[in-house]
Amino acid sequence: MLVFDADDTLWENNVLFERVIDDFLEWVDHPTLDRTEIRAILDDIERANSVAHGYGSKVFLHSLGECFEHLRERPATDAERREIQDLAVALVEHRVELMPGVAEALDELACRHELLLLTKGEREEQQRKLDASDLLHHFRAAHIVSEKTVDTYRWLAKEHGFDPADAWMIGNSPRSDILPARAAGMNAVFIPNENTWVLEHDELDPTDEGVLHLATFPDLLRHF
């Protein structure tokens, strides 16, 4: 059983957010704080909002607005809110950019193994991306969850009747894909993405033989 993450594993996701953040940092143009300092403030706001409200473009836009008001020390005007929304058009439209080689690799892997998809985020938004990707036919099932915890992976194994020791979780996030899957008894494949969201970073044990480190998605074909 191969279980796949979606955002930043099958398609680009956080790079779209990073582009918006770059535009936001240039637009906000604070008189005393530099881009690094403003980004640190935004990261703190996003961290708090992800706990309180979850993930997705709506929460992200809320965080940008909250950051703007924190920096300006006043509420945003209607015009300023529209400008922030205009910065994030690509996110709101849910454009999907597949990672190189994903479609071709899944074609082969689906002929050899059973595939599941496990993604976290706002349900309607994630479903729109899944539909737009044209990849769903490869998977026995696709699950959208609010968080990926150890219990999530245990539930997935029970739901689909597989032994965790015979399954592999494939993703780019140490925090959501690799560590909780390993804690649930699954193996894992770590495919790093240089644009992985900072809140998904975590340390992996380099001596853990249950984690396979690959450079690109098509490298999976050499192992599975």
Side-chain angles (χ1 to χ4, degrees):
M1 181 68 72
L2 303 183
V3 184
F4 291 86
D5 170 51
D7 290 341
D8 294 320
T9 298
L10 300 182
W11 53 70
E12 295 283 12
N13 180 65
N14 198 57
V15 67
L16 303 179
F17 288 81
E18 290 296 330
R19 291 169 188 166
V20 175
I21 290 172
D22 281 343
D23 291 342
F24 174 79
L25 294 176
E26 181 175 350
W27 172 71
V28 76
D29 189 29
H30 196 272
T32 60
L33 300 177
D34 62 24
R35 291 170 65 96
T36 301
E37 292 169 317
I38 297 172
R39 180 59 190 267
I41 292 170
L42 177 59
D43 286 344
D44 286 342
I45 291 172
E46 284 198 278
R47 186 175 291 107
N49 282 337
S50 68
V51 172
H53 306 295
Y55 304 94
S57 59
K58 291 180 181 177
V59 177
F60 176 66
L61 284 171
H62 178 78
S63 295
L64 290 181
E66 188 175 333
C67 183
F68 178 85
E69 292 181 347
H70 174 84
L71 294 171
R72 289 291 189 266
E73 299 182 336
R74 61 167 174 79
T77 65
D78 289 343
E80 289 164 340
R81 292 192 190 95
R82 284 194 297 270
E83 288 210 47
I84 292 172
Q85 290 175 341
D86 288 345
L87 292 174
V89 168
L91 300 178
V92 175
E93 293 181 353
H94 308 291
R95 300 171 189 169
V96 172
E97 300 175 17
L98 294 184
M99 303 290 287
V102 161
E104 297 80 5
L106 286 178
D107 283 340
E108 292 193 41
L109 291 170
C111 294
R112 307 175 192 173
H113 308 282
E114 286 195 271
L115 313 184
L116 292 173
L117 189 145
L118 181 67
T119 182
K120 74 175 186 179
E122 196 278 320
R123 179 168 295 278
E124 290 185 5
E125 182 172 331
Q126 290 303 97
Q127 188 62 55
R128 283 193 291 267
K129 287 191 284 186
L130 291 173
D131 293 340
S133 73
D134 197 28
L135 297 176
L136 278 174
H137 62 283
H138 293 300
F139 302 98
R140 178 204 281 188
H143 297 285
I144 300 170
V145 296
S146 58
E147 282 286 0
K148 293 178 181 176
T149 66
V150 176
D151 286 342
T152 304
Y153 290 97
R154 290 173 178 158
W155 167 84
L156 190 71
K158 183 177 180 180
E159 177 74 8
H160 291 281
F162 63 82
D163 184 346
D166 294 330
W168 294 77
M169 177 62 200
I170 299 158
N172 68 291
S173 167
R175 176 179 174 269
S176 293
D177 301 325
I178 310 305
L179 294 176
R182 291 294 292 136
M186 294 174 62
N187 303 292
V189 180
F190 178 50
I191 306 176
N193 184 319
E194 64 180 4
N195 295 304
T196 295
W197 190 23
V198 64
L199 300 190
E200 293 295 333
H201 293 184
D202 211 330
E203 294 296 323
L204 297 179
D205 181 358
T207 67
D208 185 355
E209 296 181 355
V211 179
L212 176 63
H213 295 250
L214 298 180
T216 69
F217 195 93
D219 290 342
L220 289 166
L221 296 175
R222 301 203 315 267
H223 299 273
F224 301 96

